[in-house]
Amino acid sequence: MSVEVQNEYGKIDITNDVIAQVVGEAAIECYGIVGMASRHQIRDGLTEILRKENFARGVIVRNVGDETHIDMYVVVGYGTKISEVAYQVQSKVKYVLQKTVGMTVKSVNIFVQGVRVTNL
Amino acid sequence: MKSIDGLKFAEMVKMGAHNLYQNADYVDSLNVFPVPDGDTGTNMNLSMTSGAKETAENAVAHLGKTAQALSKGLLMGARGNSGVILSQLFRGFGKHIENEASVNGVQFATALKYGVETAYKAVMKPVEGTILTVAKDAANAGVVQAASTEDIVTVMEAIVEESKASLKRTPDLLAVLKEVGVVDSGGQGLVYVYEGFLACLKGEALPERAIVESMDDLVNAEHHRSVQGFMNTEDIEFGYCTEFMVKFEDEKLQANPYDESNFRQALSQFGDSLLVISDEEVAKVHIHTEEPGDALNYGQKFGSLIKIKIENMREQHIEIVGESHSTQEVEKKEAVKHPYAVVTVAMGSGIAELLKSVGASAVIEGGQTMNPSTEDIVKAIEAVGAERVLILPNNKNIIMAAEQAAEVIGIEAAVVPTKTVPEGLAAILAFNPEAEVSVNAAAMKEAASFVKTGQVTHAVRDTSIDGVDIQKDDFMGISGGKIITSTPSLDDVMKTLLSSLIDKDDEIVTILYGEDVSEEEASSIVSYIEEHFDHIEVELYNGKQPLYPYIISVE
């Protein structure tokens, strides 16, 4: 699955993996996000924070017809206002995709998989 | 003033919130990062107002309790990135002094510093050149000042001074700010809060802001946001960027009394991106319009026109498309000027290449039998011309030499005590060129701890280790540093090792095969894993390492 952009010179294909990577990078720059979580971890309720090259595992890009939806699984820092942090991620992801890929996503859904408590 | 109690602090909060409220529009207009939607000031103001309200309602003489009220109010009212960060700053601040009835300068500055640490902990990739940086620099300056004075007002002065200086430096840290020509909006918001604190401590009125200086930033930010709207030159609806100042004249004002909001309303019919700032003597106007003459004529009704500047944005836009490439060039050149290196150790040219491909600046050939000395490590660091360096030994026998190298190198250096190549790989991937050395060292160490390492090597003599009987020339399977199996069959060792390493939560297995292993043999291991383990992705690299037929990383 991928997103297609057509221009006068031909076609540009951007794979879902690339979009997932871009989205993941954008998300972890957001304040309050301490990591991306793997969607597979739902099975056992253990939240492990993904490493950089695996961000795509915490992001699902769904193409429904010609609309794109994004689901992302994140871990937030303890003590932050979670609803607000999630909202910031949505707005940043929408903006970054518009700017770098020129695509408009229909929805960005955030699944908060865990809260990380630090010793402070 | 030697100390502040809860009631004094509540006054400070009120004044800080008020100063932010007064300047919220200006903070909004600076907002270009993380998303240029112009709401930083609004969000921060709502957050701070909520904090100040909760503080005012629950203010008591006990400072700890009052600070808790602020922390709670900020958390409940947190809006936007800047609001969430503000709430974390004061959450840490409040937590640090929760048992203090009052604090002196040292305690106050230390508590602010603690707040900064708390705020930094709630983000994976702190972006410098933002409110975080301004808060950090300001708190540090407060701590330094508090060491030499007992006067809390002097400490607060140092905090405000440094917060302003740090704000001025934000464009040097965050490329988008420099590109647009503005300082960071959230940082500016924090400066207003601190200025309010100081004004309250001194019993003074809040500072006025310089009208002309701020207009330039406003225009820059406005241009950045308006460019978001069009990709193509032909999308530009209002083609002339028009700026002028009206110097008020009394005669004209009698016929046309000046009122800023009416003036703005009237001008808005001529175009968009409208900015108006005025004081007693002048009004400064910026507008994008298709009829610059009409806007100028309107301005003239109130006085004489000074400093007129009109630019054709369609012409500029054609040039900008070419320009955006040149800014990237400049950034690249600067990156070479401040080398921030990761130096690591490996055996086998394949592994060395792999480490370089994920971001190692230099790989020292070393490993099990030819451990590099402290001097080798120092030389490698000097060869890459680093100013800051992280050293990854990838072998527990080299950690000591690496620690010594870090001590004698004479630049900022830290060792990430990686014991294996897979740990080293994981650590390098967590490297963030924007972060401090100490922050990186901690993050990379943590990343390395998530990886499980398996190794297969030859036995050189008969022995028994970890309760495993070992015959000379056996293959030994080592899991996380412990020998768990030893047999003459390489395949059997691999199978035992893999089943001990992989559990149901794991997702990726990386196999580095050595110089004695053929690609076919290695591929058969990959097929074996794919057949026997669900949900596992396998990556295979030719590590070309001696002595170890296989090195396995599981995560």
Side-chain angles (χ1 to χ4, degrees), chain A residues 25 28 31-35 38 40 43-44 46 51-54 57 78-79 81 84 88 95 118 120, chain B residues 36 75-76 78 80-81 85 88 91 114 119 121-125 426 429 504-505 507-508 535 537 555:
Chain A
E25 281 291 334
I28 59 154
Y31 188 81
I33 296 291
V34 294
S38 164
H40 292 311
R43 291 179 310 207
D44 35 32
L46 257 181
R51 284 174 22 203
K52 200 177 174 118
E53 77 279 19
N54 303 343
R57 295 165 165 269
Y78 173 77
K81 191 171 179 188
E84 204 50 39
Q88 291 305 313
Y95 169 70
T118 54
L120 271 178
Chain B
L75 175 65
M76 305 219 299
N81 247 328
I85 295 173
Q88 286 292 88
R91 186 171 78 91
Y114 195 84
K121 283 216 153 89
V123 60
M124 188 171 173
K125 235 174 121 175
L429 288 163
K504 65 175 174 33
D505 295 332
E507 296 179 333
I508 293 191
H535 300 303
E537 275 180 38
E555 53 201 296

Side-chain angles (χ1 to χ4, degrees), chain A residues 65-116:
Chain A
D66 44 12
E67 286 178 348
T68 306
H69 301 264
I70 292 182
D71 298 340
M72 38 203 316
Y73 296 80
V74 300
V75 181
V76 299
Y78 173 77
T80 56
K81 191 171 179 188
I82 295 174
S83 57
E84 204 50 39
V85 168
Y87 175 76
Q88 291 305 313
V89 175
Q90 290 172 313
S91 106
K92 170 107 182 179
V93 164
K94 246 180 133 60
Y95 169 70
V96 166
L97 284 177
Q98 185 65 54
K99 203 174 78 162
T100 57
V101 190
M103 65 181 275
T104 312
V105 286
K106 187 75 188 161
S107 69
V108 180
N109 308 301
I110 310 286
F111 297 86
V112 179
Q113 291 284 88
V115 176
R116 193 204 276 174

Side-chain angles (χ1 to χ4, degrees), chain B residues 418-431:
Chain B
T418 50
K419 294 198 273 304
T420 62
V421 168
E423 287 182 11
L425 282 168
I428 292 176
L429 288 163
F431 173 69

Side-chain angles (χ1 to χ4, degrees), chain B residues 150-290:
Chain B
E150 287 208 328
D151 180 29
I152 206 160
V153 181
T154 315
V155 173
M156 194 67 227
E157 267 172 346
I159 291 168
V160 170
E161 247 356 87
E162 182 56 36
S163 71
K164 287 182 183 168
S166 177
L167 178 66
K168 275 213 172 71
R169 292 192 299 265
T170 53
D172 300 333
L173 296 169
L174 188 54
V176 64
L177 300 177
K178 187 160 251 176
E179 243 170 77
V180 177
V182 288
V183 293
D184 179 64
S185 56
Q188 174 71 72
L190 186 67
V191 168
Y192 286 135
V193 173
Y194 285 167
E195 277 182 339
F197 282 8
L198 180 63
C200 172
L201 285 174
K202 285 179 152 180
E204 288 176 356
L206 290 165
E208 295 271 321
R209 71 165 197 256
I211 159 173
V212 174
E213 191 185 329
S214 55
M215 186 74 172
D216 292 344
D217 276 10
L218 291 178
V219 169
N220 289 337
E222 184 55 49
H223 280 178
H224 178 70
R225 276 193 296 270
S226 71
V227 167
Q228 304 294 323
F230 41 75
M231 286 295 178
N232 305 317
T233 306
E234 54 269 23
D235 294 342
I236 300 177
E237 185 187 354
F238 300 108
Y240 297 92
C241 169
T242 309
E243 283 181 64
F244 59 92
M245 272 168 89
V246 180
K247 190 161 178 260
F248 296 132
E249 288 168 353
D250 288 343
E251 293 151 42
K252 288 186 177 178
L253 288 184
Q254 274 160 10
N256 289 309
Y258 176 82
D259 170 272
E260 191 178 298
S261 65
N262 292 345
F263 183 76
R264 187 178 287 124
Q265 185 65 40
L267 279 171
S268 66
Q269 63 184 314
F270 300 121
D272 65 6
S273 293
L274 174 67
L275 299 165
V276 175
I277 301 182
S278 55
D279 60 15
E280 302 302 292
E281 289 164 9
V282 292
K284 214 175 163 184
V285 177
H286 166 274
I287 185 168
H288 293 172
T289 171
E290 203 53 13

